[in-house]
Amino acid sequence: MTGLSDVGYSTEAIAAGEAVEAVVVRFAGDSGDGMQLTGSQFTRATALAGNDLATLPSFPAEIRAPAGTTFGVSSFQIQFGARSVATPGDAPDVLVAMNPAALRVHLPDVVVAGTLVINSSAFTDRNLAKAGYEVSPLDDGSLDNYQVVAVDIAQRTVEAVKEFGLGHGDARRCKNLWALGLMYWLYGRDPGATLEWIARKFAHREDLAAANRAALLAGHAYGETAELGPALPRTHVPPAERAPGRYRTVTGADGLTWGLLAGAGKAELPMVFASYPITPASGLLHTLAGLREPGLTTLQAEDEIAAACAAIGASFSGSLGVTASSGPGVALKGEALGLAVSAELPLVVVNCQRGGPSTGLPTKTEQADLYQALYGRNGDAPLCVLAPASAADCFSMAIEAVRLAVGYMTPVLLLADGYLVNAAEPWQIPELSDWEDFPVRFHTDPDGFHPFLREAATGARPWVKPGTAGLEHRIGGLEKDFDSGHISYEPGNHQRMTDVRAQKIRGMADAIPEQDVAVGGLSGDLAVVSWGSTYGAVNQAVRRSRMKGREVAHIHLRYLNPLPRNLGPLLRGYDRLLVPELNNGQLVNVLRASFGVHAEGLSQVTGEPFRIAHLEHAFKEILEA
Amino acid sequence: MTAATASPKPVDFASDQQIRWCPGCGDYAILKGIQKTLAGLGVPQENLVFVSGIGCSSRLPYYLETYGFHTIHGRAPAVATGVKLGNPALDVWVITGDGDGLSIGGNHLMHVLRRNLDMQILLFNNEIYGLTKGQLSPTSKPGTRSPTSPRGAVDTPVMPARFALGAGARFVARAVDTDPKALGVVLERAHEHRGASLVEIYQNCIVYNDQAFAAITQRGRAADNTIRLRHGEPMRFGANGDRGLVLDPASCALRVVDVGGENGVPESELLVHDERNAALAGLLASMQPPDLPVALGVLYCDPEDQSGTDTERSPVQLAAVDRLLNEGHVWRVAG
Ligand SMILES: Cc1ncc(C[n+]2csc(CCOP(=O)(O)OP(=O)(O)O)c2C)c(N)n1
Ligand code: SF4
């Protein structure tokens, strides 16, 4: 590793800094300022320093929104701590603002008396006007309640990289690394990993490599030498307590792709992953397309319908078919999913939800496709629906999706979301042997075979690999006879087959764990019931409420269809139920309809994850009402 | 019934399902032609997979004793793509109609052709929607009266063979339901070709579009309105082979000429069919009566094999997943 000696990194210096439990930092700038990259580098350095962490990237849907505008601002928030960190944090303690628009958009979120690190070079009349400032906030006293560190970052960057002969534009573009260097100094981070990354990234452009390196080190050195005083005191966030083992950071997208592959491995199947690009699901296809695993085939299909159909075809041929998309694409897949339900083929469908309806909010998160997952097909077409709770849980639930799909010959829909797929957290690398193998045994015996005979325990029909002699058969989306599997429009038969398909999915409750209570007792004043990516925020809010003496329990669902078999009785044990969701009230209605319980909804559809304080306040209100 | 059978007969490829097409439908003859062809291919029966969309034509897989998947309207090419990707060792056939393949499924047909996975795509063109009771199809001739075009169709019909060539197909052929022998030859050639092959089969819908192909199937008219292409042979047609095709260099268009006799051109001046010539294939695919004969047989065949593997895939290896999890930025927390 390069690093330590090069930049005068020393552990004593950090240890001398102020020790803090947890910090929330947000980097914000123009879409072209490299904020996502800055954030992910900072995340890696922070993970290597041993903190627990959670991240929230946020970027506009436009690739290059006009520079300097408020709608072109891109940001990356990270919370890191010496204790367990469940969310990216409600409010930044430190905001790094690379231009006036970034300051304008993000200032309202910053904690009272928080720290603002501002690139004053960008505070020109033109940029101020674009951001809607009549007077510079650096001059009018409006920032008096904050700790302001205004540095002409761009100017200093240009000077630091002068010797490498870059054009002015290229030189200025290194300013995010200068800011990153300063933040590395502030939190005593080792820049080594970033220096390595620069060397790799610019392996073919020695001048850019040198300039980026120089900018990073200049930012770091600035912190070291400038007398920033009380405005920017060095801060020490001690490493979090962790079980010994090997760790890495994982995003939900990583977790899903690795989990799907692990699932295919456990099933001893080749995997065909077919997808059509859509934010925020594209990353899955990007990652898988880059792998060289002979058992994996990827297809960028011509549209989402084709992607779903190709995955179904792959499953028919004896591979594991997987397709991934976001809400609009899943809408297109609807008819094909019905075919998979009718043909009773295994299939895994990942929905990385985003804000809707229609094209909605491509880069913002929402949980509003639950109804679509449960009911969004013609006819009575039940399928299994799962929802991972965190980036790490994406790995487990992807394996689980494969296990259930092949075990029950059914499509399984995994409901992730934009926040989950982009969020990063440290992860103890699991042993694959912690999950049981579930090798698929294809049916090969022609004796008494028909394609819709069922296994008694699961209701699953036999899976036959084409190529198996003597088992040639035809399937399709027309209703089939319960006994022979041939086409049948007979009234009683359709009733029977509809019942069987419903029962098969209901019966999967036997193969999934009973619902547990994440925090709190089995009964009490209030249970908060959540699902999917809101786990961290709800969990923290419940814990904080309990510390204040409120009797609140947290129940978090990862299995949405079928629901765990003990869920009804469990819910009835509480006086009140509150269901916070990032939609206009979907799970809350499912629970009311399924169990006849009186549940109240707490809806938020701002495109942003819940804040802990907001939830805690809601719990308090409901308990005091 | 299986590979063990020494030399299978066409009836071995008939399933036990009762056929439900209208009496006199052209689909019967095509089904027969397919069964006959399959019997002669030497492919183990269990390796054959027929994937279809929705329509009268797409019912065909039910009647074949092979693996079959009757899917959803227009999407058979996409499903077949998945079948072939999932197990490249399978011998995959797609059955589609003109509405299925060129209206709702036009996008998938385009992409399956350009992707060029090894499969045979048989497009039954009856220039009408059969299953839904006779509405206009994208291949219907202008003027066609139907429940949805009571005053006659006005849109330009799509020509499947031209569409396929435009999409980058490397094998394009044409046959007619009334000529099972020629159909058989074309199916064998399509099967032999490594890559996606498109075969357009004119199929008479006796109920909703009867005699749509009378000009090319009726005794007395067929000879002058069709030409049977043979690679390397001069393009002659007509009842006594007395007509031929030449290229008019000024207009870059094909022209019919009389061959031999007093006023005819000598055979040596006729165009010679070259199925590897893509530009020629485009001209041949566009020919229509009354000015030009309909081209039947193999219009285009580019034998260059770009279709990828045909071996079965191996399962995903857990060891490989484990490697993935452990590569990149990994750190250790000491005990
Ligand atoms: C999504 C969807 N839309 C419409 C239909 C109704 N439909 C079934 S077959 C068909 C047209 C079939 O025409 P073609 O492909 O020419 O086949 P043919 O019946 O003539 O063989 C239509 C519109 C359907 N089954 N699914
Ligand atoms: S409607 Fe036409 S295409 Fe369909 S079965 Fe009858 S004759 Fe054949």
Side-chain angles (χ1 to χ4, degrees), chain A residues 523-607:
Chain A
S523 62
D525 294 345
L526 174 66
V528 182
V529 186
S530 58
W531 66 280
S533 71
T534 58
Y535 171 79
V538 174
N539 198 267
Q540 280 303 311
V542 168
R543 285 175 195 276
R544 287 190 198 171
S545 303
R546 292 176 65 84
M547 282 194 296
K548 291 173 190 156
R550 301 196 181 99
E551 211 206 304
V552 188
H554 180 205
I555 295 172
H556 188 80
L557 305 185
R558 294 151 81 226
Y559 295 83
L560 296 165
N561 199 38
L563 292 163
R565 50 190 182 280
N566 64 327
L567 184 61
L570 177 65
L571 295 181
R572 287 187 201 103
Y574 301 89
D575 293 344
R576 309 184 76 159
L577 299 170
L578 180 71
V579 185
E581 296 177 85
L582 302 177
N583 60 42
N584 210 20
Q586 299 192 10
L587 179 67
V588 66
N589 279 330
V590 171
L591 295 179
R592 287 173 188 155
S594 303
F595 305 116
V597 291
H598 178 80
E600 291 164 71
L602 175 63
S603 150
Q604 176 184 305
V605 284
T606 56

Side-chain angles (χ1 to χ4, degrees), chain A residues 1 44 47-48 50-51 193 196 200 242-249 258-259 261-266 268-272 291 293-303 305-307 309-319 335-336 339 343 345 395 426-427 429-432 437 464-478 486-489, chain B residues 1-4 13-17 20 44-52 54 59-90 104-112 114-115 117 312-335:
Chain A
M1 244 192 178
R44 182 183 291 176
L48 290 174
N51 292 133
E196 273 179 18
R200 244 180 303 122
R242 287 200 180 284
R246 287 166 67 77
Y247 285 81
R248 66 174 310 142
T249 55
W258 299 333
L261 280 171
K266 296 259 158 204
E268 295 180 9
L269 293 175
M271 171 167 140
V272 174
L291 301 181
E293 157 57 31
L296 167 71
T297 308
T298 58
L299 171 71
Q300 178 179 331
E302 56 270 27
D303 59 28
I305 301 173
C309 287
I312 290 169
S315 288
F316 178 70
S317 78
S319 285
E335 190 194 6
L339 175 67
L345 283 168
F395 182 77
W427 187 42
I429 300 172
E431 293 294 335
L432 291 175
D437 294 343
V464 178
K465 207 156 54 165
T468 310
L471 291 182
E472 294 84 355
H473 66 279
R474 278 66 52 195
I475 60 170
L478 288 172
H486 296 324
I487 300 173
S488 165
Y489 306 139
Chain B
M1 210 174 128
T2 68
F13 291 87
S15 76
D16 60 355
Q17 292 302 288
R20 300 197 193 183
Q45 195 152 347
E46 65 272 15
N47 280 0
L48 293 164
V49 179
F50 278 74
V51 182
S52 64
I54 299 291
R59 292 292 178 94
L60 187 135
Y62 286 116
Y63 311 136
L64 285 178
E65 189 54 30
T66 64
Y67 284 93
F69 198 177
H70 180 225
T71 67
I72 46 178
H73 198 19
R75 320 301 174 191
V79 176
T81 297
V83 171
K84 192 69 189 173
L85 289 177
N87 184 356
L90 296 172
I104 191 166
N107 190 34
H108 307 306
L109 185 60
M110 165 165 77
H111 289 281
V112 78
R114 83 179 175 80
R115 237 176 244 133
L117 289 173
E312 213 173 314
R313 297 205 191 277
S314 53
V316 171
Q317 297 301 310
L318 284 172
V321 182
D322 199 54
R323 263 199 309 281
L324 263 179
L325 296 183
N326 282 284
E327 76 189 16
H329 273 268
V330 169
W331 67 93
R332 191 175 277 286
V333 172

